[in-house]
């Protein structure tokens, strides 16, 4: 009995030391740079009457499943962003150029100001 308890406690200790930090790390490093860039865009939006983004643009959902976002299948990076017909008003953040896989951007019917980063042309 005592032996069983001891090995149980040892297992707990091992779990605590080796497994917990690893899973905590996975959760933290899971947030992609594309997610941060898109959230920085979201934070610059001053008006979005239909709250489209509030349905999916959260860190606990992969950005490849966010409304308006399409990912490059192989790299799981944002390939196109289509925020047309959402009547958003806001500002393009300076970090927008961090979406290095972006090849298509559709902001029709939205009212964004600010410059697209030079590298996007
Ligand atoms: C964009 O990239 C720059 C340079 O690598 C970095 O300092 C910055 O934190 C990034 N911004 C976002 C929103 O990830
Ligand atoms: C994700 O987070 C948001 C805001 O914190 C919450 O409302 C939503 O229920 C969460 N979704 C999932 C799938 O956990
Ligand atoms: C985090 O990674 C796990 C495992 O790879 C994946 O299932 C999950 O969708 C990811 N979460 C986000 C927010 O990307
Ligand atoms: C963006 O979405 C709208 C509405 O769904 C669609 O009409 C338009 O063709 C899309 N734009 C691009 C560049 O795919
Ligand atoms: C975009 O919105 C306009 C006006 O509400 C509508 O006429 C048009 O059909 C919409 N386009 C798409 C592709 O949803």
């Amino acid at each position: 009995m005592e032996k069983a308890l001891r090995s149980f406690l040892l297992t707990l200790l091992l779990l605590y030391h080796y497994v917990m930090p690893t899973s905590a790390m996975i959760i933290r490093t899971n947030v992609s740079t594309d997610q941060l860039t898109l959230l920085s865009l979201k934070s610059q939006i001053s008006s979005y009457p239909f709250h489209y983004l509030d349905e999916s643009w959260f860190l606990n959902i992969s950005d490849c499943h966010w409304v308006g976002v399409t990912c490059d299948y192989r790299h799981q990076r944002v390939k196109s962003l289509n925020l047309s017909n959402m009547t958003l008003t806001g500002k393009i953040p300076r970090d927008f150029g961090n979406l290095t896989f972006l090849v298509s951007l559709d902001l029709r019917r939205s009212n964004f100001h600010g410059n697209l980063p030079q590298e996007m042309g």
Side-chain angles (χ1 to χ4, degrees), residues 48 54-55 102:
Y48 48 115
D54 282 343
E55 283 168 20
L102 192 70

Side-chain angles (χ1 to χ4, degrees), residues 30 35 59-62:
N30 217 6
Q35 279 185 316
L59 287 179
N60 55 7
I61 299 172
S62 161

Side-chain angles (χ1 to χ4, degrees), residues 23-78:
S23 50
M25 215 162 66
I26 289 169
I27 290 162
R28 236 175 276 129
T29 56
N30 217 6
V31 174
S32 71
T33 144
D34 283 357
Q35 279 185 316
L36 294 178
T37 306
L38 291 173
L39 286 183
S40 117
L41 174 70
K42 185 184 177 189
S43 75
Q44 300 290 320
I45 293 173
S46 49
S47 135
Y48 48 115
F50 302 113
H51 301 283
Y52 290 105
L53 306 184
D54 282 343
E55 283 168 20
S56 60
W57 284 40
F58 296 113
L59 287 179
N60 55 7
I61 299 172
S62 161
D63 52 347
C64 295
H65 295 122
W66 291 4
V67 65
V69 174
T70 311
C71 279
D72 174 281
Y73 180 74
R74 199 151 73 88
H75 301 94
Q76 293 291 297
R77 297 284 312 274
V78 175

Side-chain angles (χ1 to χ4, degrees), residues 10 12 24 26 31 33 39 49 54 75 92-93 98 103-104 109:
L10 188 66
L12 267 189
I26 289 169
V31 174
T33 144
L39 286 183
D54 282 343
H75 301 94
I92 303 278
N98 289 19
V103 291
S104 157
R109 293 181 177 276

